[in-house]
Amino acid sequence: MDISIVSATLYSVALVPIALSVAFALLLLKTFTGKSLRSSKYPPVRGTVFVQLIYFNQLYDYLTGVVRQSPTFRLLAPDQSEIYTADPRNVEHVLKTNFDRYTKGKFNIEIMKDLFGEGIFVVDGEKWKKQRKVASFEFATRVLRDFSCSVFRKNAAKLVKVVDELSAASEGFDMQDILMRCTLDSIFKVGFGVELNCLQGSSKEGRAFMKAFDEANALTYWRYIDPSWELKRLLNIGSEARLRNNVKLIDNFVHQLIRTKRNQLAAQRERNDKEDILSRFLLECEKDPENMNEKYLRDIILNFMIAGKDTSANTLSWFLYMLCKHPLVQQKIVDEIKEVIGDQASEANPDGFMERITDPVLDRMPYLHATLTETLRLYPAVPLVIFCSLDGRCTETDDVLPDGFHVKKGDNVNYLAYSMGRMHNIWGEDAEDFKPERWLKDGIFQKESPFKFVAFHAGPRICLGKDFAYRQMKIVSIALLRFFRFRLADERPVTYKVMFTLHIDNGLHLRAVPRLAT
């Protein structure tokens, strides 16, 4: 071999660590330059965003530990500061008082758009207003409310039958997976008018879609702390290659769904009471086909997916976990069900029982409502809201938060819903205790400020589906607790998986004991 070739190869290899060292030095320089590190008017710096790589699997607990020392703090990023807060005053300032000055921002949109496109959780301005207006009208209709109640009852009855079969096997089972499939069936029926039947396992396409969507959710969140994600996307390698494959599967499934629903709608022109959300959006699309095209519908569907499937299933999973840890609370809910609906032990048919679950019945169960709310306080469906960024459309001057700290144009302001539920200065010395009674006074549920209890967001972007979610969770909870007593299947630790929504990592493994003789 030519000695010159060998020398050149060795020289190139020797340059690699030098090049990496220079790149790392430049990254650090960019991260720390121009961030007003010594100024007390800005939130204290508690490291860089790269520290999140070290604590990623316990990220929300790590951030909770930091926020207990500094209720508002900064982590430095190459292009901006990431400001985190657990101060309800700051949350109200950003989400309500100064709502027009804070947007999703280009940084967040760039990270989220491959999966969520231009759906309501991602966009700002007129696009957000238009989707919000249409969605707000649809959620307010009695047709949708009645239709959704019917769907929730039917799927809850199916859920009871599935759990009954599993309980007979005397083995533990993953309750989170079952709840995910149940809520997926519900959102597909209510949202898109499709019987997916994923709960009972006959839809391979549906389960493949659910798996792809969950993995894409986690991989998209990973972008926030992966400094190389844009390069990986360009080269189509690693996590970005997996994300692209998942998004392709998701897109194919959703576009087929849209085409099927469009054909069905064309054959049902005589019906005016279109029950599902997609049908009603399709009718709106006819008014503006250029802007409200198939991609627009695709983005709407996936945004409703994360709102309708993940949030309810995750909350119900944590709810059942807490009831297993607190059997007295579980029994109190059962007693409330018996008091309101009656203790007809002879009625072992879940279909007949579920027909008795009406809105007036749900309204007479304050303890169940309080327990679900307490679950959301400690385990919010969206644990960390990476939401607000002052962008170029805003004033050129910095903003000042109510706690006195300044925000520079371009900085992200994130509120820590998971941490806020554990703050003693917000909820008292028993903040970390699971205590449904904190929401009740003389047996009546007492609301809290949405800027203190932030599980459903707040301000103009407050969750449109809040009542929708509570209704589904109550119906499912009543069905499960009327027919079964739950306990943990084993001693394995229960913790979260870091993604946009608060999944239980590796599932929730339970055993169920029937309450009624069949």
Side-chain angles (χ1 to χ4, degrees):
M1 182 180 292
D2 192 321
I3 191 67
S4 62
I5 296 176
V6 174
S7 298
T9 302
L10 292 174
Y11 181 71
S12 298
V13 171
L15 283 178
V16 170
I18 297 175
L20 291 175
S21 298
V22 171
F24 182 69
L26 290 174
L27 181 64
L28 287 179
L29 185 65
K30 189 177 182 182
T31 299
F32 286 95
T33 300
K35 303 292 171 53
S36 304
L37 301 181
R38 299 182 182 278
S39 176
S40 60
K41 74 177 186 178
Y42 294 104
V45 175
R46 294 292 181 255
T48 71
V49 291
F50 307 117
V51 74
Q52 296 175 92
L53 288 166
I54 301 172
Y55 298 101
F56 186 73
N57 290 332
Q58 299 85 35
L59 181 61
Y60 309 130
D61 290 293
Y62 166 73
L63 293 174
T64 298
V66 178
V67 87
R68 281 177 177 151
Q69 300 175 21
S70 305
T72 303
F73 66 92
R74 282 187 291 167
L75 294 179
L76 305 181
D79 295 316
Q80 74 280 328
S81 291
E82 293 288 334
I83 297 175
Y84 294 87
T85 188
D87 190 325
R89 298 172 300 168
N90 293 344
V91 175
E92 182 172 6
H93 176 84
V94 168
L95 297 185
K96 180 183 176 182
T97 310
N98 275 20
F99 173 76
D100 291 335
R101 295 191 57 189
Y102 287 85
T103 70
K104 286 292 184 180
K106 294 178 181 178
F107 173 75
N108 291 321
I109 291 173
E110 184 65 23
I111 283 178
M112 299 174 69
K113 71 178 182 182
D114 286 339
L115 177 58
F116 297 110
E118 294 185 336
I120 194 169
F121 296 132
V122 180
V123 294
D124 296 312
E126 290 303 316
K127 289 182 179 179
W128 171 78
K129 289 179 182 178
K130 190 170 188 177
Q131 290 189 48
R132 178 84 180 186
K133 182 178 180 181
V134 175
S136 180
F137 175 77
E138 299 307 337
F139 272 104
T141 61
R142 185 178 183 85
V143 170
L144 180 61
R145 186 183 67 194
D146 293 345
F147 179 51
S148 64
C149 277
S150 174
V151 171
F152 296 155
R153 287 195 295 264
K154 289 178 181 177
N155 282 336
K158 292 179 183 178
L159 177 63
V160 169
K161 295 171 186 176
V162 169
V163 174
D164 189 51
E165 292 178 2
L166 292 168
S167 69
S170 300
E171 295 180 356
F173 53 89
D174 184 357
M175 193 68 201
Q176 179 175 246
D177 177 65
I178 295 170
L179 289 167
M180 283 288 179
R181 287 189 272 138
C182 179
T183 56
L184 184 68
D185 281 353
S186 293
I187 194 61
F188 263 77
K189 185 62 177 178
V190 174
F192 322 127
V194 174
E195 288 284 2
L196 197 60
N197 202 20
C198 192
L199 176 60
Q200 295 175 316
S202 62
S203 174
K204 292 182 180 179
E205 295 84 359
R207 297 193 72 169
F209 170 81
M210 184 173 75
K211 181 180 178 182
F213 185 78
D214 289 345
E215 185 172 353
N217 180 329
L219 290 169
T220 299
Y221 195 94
W222 177 252
R223 286 177 167 182
Y224 278 101
I225 60 172
D226 182 0
S228 63
W229 75 266
E230 290 177 294
L231 178 61
K232 289 179 181 176
R233 182 173 66 174
L234 179 65
L235 299 175
N236 193 29
I237 60 175
S239 58
E240 288 297 313
R242 300 205 314 275
L243 176 59
R244 182 172 295 182
N245 290 336
N246 282 317
V247 170
K248 183 178 180 180
L249 188 153
I250 291 166
D251 286 351
N252 290 339
F253 187 90
V254 171
H255 286 302
Q256 180 59 45
L257 171 65
I258 294 170
R259 288 190 290 270
T260 301
K261 177 54 62 174
R262 199 186 294 274
N263 292 335
Q264 290 176 354
L265 197 62
Q268 298 174 350
R269 284 293 173 186
E270 70 280 1
R271 290 184 60 187
N272 295 320
D273 59 334
K274 303 298 183 294
E275 295 173 316
D276 63 272
I277 297 170
L278 178 56
S279 292
R280 300 172 78 90
F281 267 99
L282 279 166
L283 294 176
E284 286 294 319
C285 286
E286 294 179 0
K287 302 173 185 177
D288 186 9
E290 183 176 347
N291 293 313
M292 299 176 72
N293 53 27
E294 191 162 304
K295 182 184 180 304
Y296 172 89
L297 289 171
R298 175 265 187 206
D299 297 344
I300 287 173
I301 286 173
L302 291 182
N303 279 253
F304 271 108
M305 275 292 306
I306 198 168
K309 176 183 80 73
D310 286 37
T311 53
S312 295
N314 286 339
T315 302
L316 285 167
S317 298
W318 290 109
F319 168 79
L320 289 173
Y321 170 64
M322 296 310 290
L323 295 193
C324 291
K325 300 288 285 185
H326 300 84
L328 291 179
V329 174
Q330 184 171 172
Q331 186 58 47
K332 285 183 179 180
I333 297 174
V334 173
D335 292 342
E336 186 175 65
I337 293 171
K338 291 179 180 179
E339 180 182 347
V340 173
I341 303 177
D343 187 16
Q344 297 184 14
S346 61
E347 185 178 1
N349 179 8
D351 296 290
F353 175 75
M354 294 313 301
E355 287 302 315
R356 294 157 57 193
I357 310 301
T358 61
D359 274 347
V361 167
L362 297 179
D363 290 340
R364 292 166 56 200
M365 294 190 176
Y367 193 79
L368 172 60
H369 190 90
T371 307
L372 285 165
T373 305
E374 181 71 348
T375 302
L376 281 162
R377 183 183 72 84
L378 288 171
Y379 300 100
V382 183
L384 189 161
V385 182
I386 306 171
F387 175 79
C388 305
S389 173
L390 281 167
D391 69 8
R393 294 180 299 165
C394 305
T395 178
E396 291 298 317
T397 60
D398 294 352
D399 193 19
V400 182
L401 299 174
D403 63 5
F405 288 121
H406 288 230
V407 180
K408 289 185 177 181
K409 180 174 70 73
D411 286 349
N412 283 343
V413 181
N414 315 303
Y415 69 82
L416 299 162
Y418 181 91
S419 303
M420 289 177 70
R422 290 161 168 75
M423 297 292 284
H424 294 176
N425 64 315
I426 298 176
W427 295 100
E429 291 302 314
D430 61 354
E432 294 167 275
D433 296 339
F434 183 72
K435 186 178 176 183
E437 289 77 10
R438 77 173 73 245
W439 296 93
L440 299 171
K441 183 177 181 180
D442 299 326
I444 299 173
F445 183 83
Q446 304 295 310
K447 293 182 179 180
E448 287 283 2
S449 163
F451 307 105
K452 173 181 176 181
F453 174 65
V454 290
F456 291 97
H457 218 44
R461 281 188 182 259
I462 194 168
C463 178
L464 285 170
K466 178 181 177 181
D467 293 337
F468 181 94
Y470 266 121
R471 189 178 297 118
Q472 178 175 210
M473 292 189 296
K474 287 179 183 178
I475 289 171
V476 171
S477 299
I478 291 169
L480 290 173
L481 294 176
R482 180 66 178 87
F483 287 92
F484 304 100
R485 180 181 297 107
F486 292 95
R487 61 185 177 85
L488 295 175
D490 49 48
E491 297 299 320
R492 76 181 73 187
V494 174
T495 187
Y496 50 77
K497 181 177 181 180
V498 176
M499 49 200 293
F500 283 107
T501 49
L502 200 67
H503 279 49
I504 296 178
D505 194 23
N506 296 317
L508 176 65
H509 299 272
L510 301 182
R511 294 183 187 274
V513 178
R515 291 185 187 274
L516 298 177
T518 58

